[in-house]
Amino acid sequence: IMVSVDESDVVELKASNIKEFVEKNRDAIVTWVKKKTGPVLHNITTVEEAERILTSESRIVMGFVEHLAGPDSEELAAASKQEDEVSFYQTSNADVAKLFHIHPQGKRLALVLLKMEDEKVSHFGGQFTRSEMAEFVYKNKLPLVSYFTRASASQIFKNPINNKVILFTTLNDTEKFLPMFQEAAKHFMGKALFLYVPMDEEDAGKPVAEYFGIDGDSPRVIAFTGNEDSRKFFLDGVLTLNNIKTFGENFLQGNLKPFYKSDPIPETNDGDVKIVVGNNFDELVLDESKDVLLEIYASWCGYCQALEPTYNKLAKHFRGIDSLVIAKMDGTTNEHPRAKSNGYPTLLLFPAGNKSFDPIIVDTDRSVKAFYKFLKQYAAIPFKLSESTEKLESTQKTESSQDNSNKDLKGEL
């Protein structure tokens, strides 16, 4: 059986879990079916009708209009077609509007979103156009605090609100900290999404905690700017309502220092390949006096493991060149805003004297000779290797006829 709730997330169900799926998604399924089989915008003309839907539906949009037909009604209907998970209604009855927290003597063309939660109502303040109304509903339809699961992840990260504040606790600590977090969330509606992650929940919570560098079982609150720049901020100190609110305000105002994961700085770093971690990245990679070739790798990555002998040999050749650094960083345990990777391994060249610019992506064959030629072309500081190593430039024909088993790399010298 294939069931589509939001048309971008199709779920395959087996007989054993159909009941569980339907129970968890009952409201969304009912709303979706109504949208597909009947009118997308419903008229409410009596208080009795209004009271019925207020007690039977979990997410409602109500428009307060002068007339139930016309351009404004058409715009609202068009907006409703973009939202399968929310029921849309309209009324011209002031008594009905009052039940939905709309001032009965206020201006017509008012719009609210109601949810069965503590915050109850979100008031629309934009232009009465389909695009602005649809965006308003999309931003505000999620719960006051969203419970992060595999099922909710897509909806959370598709939301146009990129700023997120996340509470991590163990399942046992949920009742102690979640109510306080929900109270704080009321002050940031429409500005930041508040998420709860049970960090000892195996299916989704634990992997998310590991991704954000959360360890131990102490409750933590972090802020996250979204996947585009992936900056994280940690709340230091005791988790109190005032501290969470202040933290959220400073986050939105840009007053916090980002946190980046880092392994310990190596006590010695004398190898041919220098070890870069988050906390020594500025010192080693952003040194304006040196060209730096950086490999961002993962220890579990087969391609990285295959590259390692070649990369070590390259670094050995450049051992005596003070202006050039060959370095690597474990991208799974270290972060830096200048170290962006689209996969492993990622190779970046940071030219000397140009560290304020984006690094050069190394797009070449993974051989010592190819790396050498790339560095010869793009390094900002000219270099000259020893006579034996300079033979790298003149051995292309010899290399092409040699065994590619990689057991003997002498053909690259």
Side-chain angles (χ1 to χ4, degrees):
I1 299 176
M2 304 297 288
V3 178
S4 174
V5 175
D6 66 0
E7 299 214 59
S8 66
D9 185 18
V10 178
V11 182
E12 183 176 359
L13 301 176
K14 297 179 181 178
S16 60
N17 60 16
I18 290 176
K19 183 177 180 181
E20 179 184 358
F21 177 85
V22 172
E23 288 296 330
K24 288 182 177 180
N25 298 277
R26 184 184 301 278
D27 291 340
I29 293 172
V30 170
T31 302
W32 184 85
V33 170
K34 285 181 178 179
K35 285 286 184 76
K36 300 306 178 184
T37 59
V40 293
L41 179 63
H42 304 270
N43 297 330
I44 301 298
T45 58
T46 68
V47 169
E48 290 75 20
E49 290 177 295
E51 290 175 339
R52 177 183 56 78
I53 65 171
L54 281 170
T55 57
S56 63
E57 300 200 30
S58 59
R59 281 184 274 189
I60 304 165
V61 168
M62 174 59 75
F64 187 33
V65 296
E66 286 285 356
H67 306 287
L68 297 179
D72 296 325
S73 179
E74 292 172 2
E75 288 295 305
L76 184 56
S80 73
K81 291 180 180 179
Q82 301 180 44
E83 273 296 340
D84 286 338
E85 299 173 343
V86 181
S87 297
F88 279 68
Y89 298 91
Q90 65 175 357
T91 188
S92 58
N93 184 325
D95 291 330
V96 170
K98 187 176 180 179
L99 290 177
F100 286 85
H101 305 273
I102 300 173
H103 195 290
Q105 274 74 51
K107 68 174 184 178
R108 300 294 174 104
L109 300 184
L111 189 76
V112 296
L113 167 64
L114 274 73
K115 292 176 287 185
M116 291 289 214
E117 296 164 9
D118 291 341
E119 76 274 24
K120 293 294 185 184
V121 59
S122 300
H123 289 271
F124 176 63
Q127 297 295 316
F128 217 76
T129 63
R130 65 190 68 185
S131 59
E132 289 200 28
M133 287 187 286
E135 182 178 5
F136 162 76
V137 174
Y138 198 86
K139 283 183 175 181
N140 290 278
K141 69 181 180 180
L142 290 178
L144 185 61
V145 174
S146 295
Y147 190 116
F148 190 93
T149 65
R150 288 186 183 274
S152 67
S154 175
Q155 189 179 57
I156 288 170
F157 286 107
K158 285 192 302 184
N159 194 287
I161 299 177
N162 289 322
N163 292 324
K164 296 169 178 65
V165 180
I166 311 173
L167 169 67
F168 291 88
T169 75
T170 61
L171 289 165
N172 287 338
D173 282 340
T174 302
E175 293 184 4
K176 181 178 179 181
F177 293 99
L178 185 55
M180 176 173 59
F181 193 66
Q182 289 172 323
E183 183 64 28
K186 295 178 183 179
H187 301 272
F188 299 93
M189 291 168 54
K191 301 175 184 178
L193 294 183
F194 273 57
L195 311 176
Y196 165 61
V197 177
M199 57 188 177
D200 54 348
E201 190 271 317
E202 291 290 337
D203 184 53
K206 193 171 182 178
V208 172
E210 291 174 352
Y211 173 80
F212 284 105
I214 305 293
D215 53 17
D217 56 8
S218 298
R220 298 298 302 267
V221 169
I222 74 167
F224 180 55
T225 56
N227 289 328
E228 188 169 335
D229 60 10
S230 300
R231 288 178 297 140
K232 301 187 295 293
F233 309 85
F234 277 67
L235 188 160
D236 293 324
V238 180
L239 295 191
T240 65
L241 176 59
N242 286 336
N243 284 349
I244 295 172
K245 288 168 58 178
T246 300
F247 174 72
E249 290 163 0
N250 286 329
F251 168 52
L252 294 180
Q253 293 168 8
N255 296 331
L256 300 176
K257 182 180 179 180
F259 166 85
Y260 297 102
K261 292 188 293 187
S262 177
D263 289 328
I265 294 178
E267 293 184 7
T268 59
N269 208 356
D270 300 328
D272 295 333
V273 177
K274 303 305 179 186
I275 305 301
V276 173
V277 298
N279 290 337
N280 70 1
F281 189 98
D282 289 357
E283 176 187 353
L284 294 183
V285 179
L286 300 186
D287 182 348
E288 292 285 0
S289 69
K290 298 181 185 298
D291 292 294
V292 180
L293 176 65
L294 177 68
E295 177 200 5
I296 304 174
Y297 73 95
S299 58
W300 44 259
C301 168
Y303 294 108
C304 303
Q305 295 165 9
L307 175 62
E308 185 174 8
T310 301
Y311 203 66
N312 290 339
K313 184 174 281 291
L314 177 72
K316 182 178 179 180
H317 292 322
F318 285 94
R319 182 186 295 167
I321 307 300
D322 292 337
S323 64
L324 183 61
V325 175
I326 308 298
K328 66 179 182 179
M329 183 180 83
D330 187 338
T332 64
T333 54
N334 299 278
E335 297 173 318
H336 191 278
R338 301 295 305 281
K340 296 180 179 179
S341 67
N342 294 321
Y344 300 118
T346 291
L347 289 134
L348 304 172
L349 175 64
F350 293 79
N354 291 288
K355 300 301 173 77
S356 61
F357 294 93
D358 288 338
I360 300 171
I361 298 174
V362 181
D363 184 15
T364 187
D365 292 339
R366 304 297 169 86
S367 68
V368 173
K369 182 170 67 66
F371 285 135
Y372 169 82
K373 294 178 69 175
F374 183 92
L375 292 170
K376 196 76 171 176
Q377 179 178 358
Y378 291 104
I381 301 175
F383 58 83
K384 184 175 178 62
L385 300 180
S386 65
E387 182 179 348
S388 62
T389 309
E390 286 288 354
K391 291 180 181 179
L392 285 163
E393 293 184 290
S394 61
T395 58
Q396 184 172 8
K397 292 183 179 180
T398 303
E399 280 189 349
S400 63
S401 63
Q402 289 179 336
D403 185 0
N404 284 330
S405 66
N406 286 328
K407 292 181 180 179
D408 184 358
L409 296 175
K410 291 183 178 179
E412 299 195 63
L413 293 176

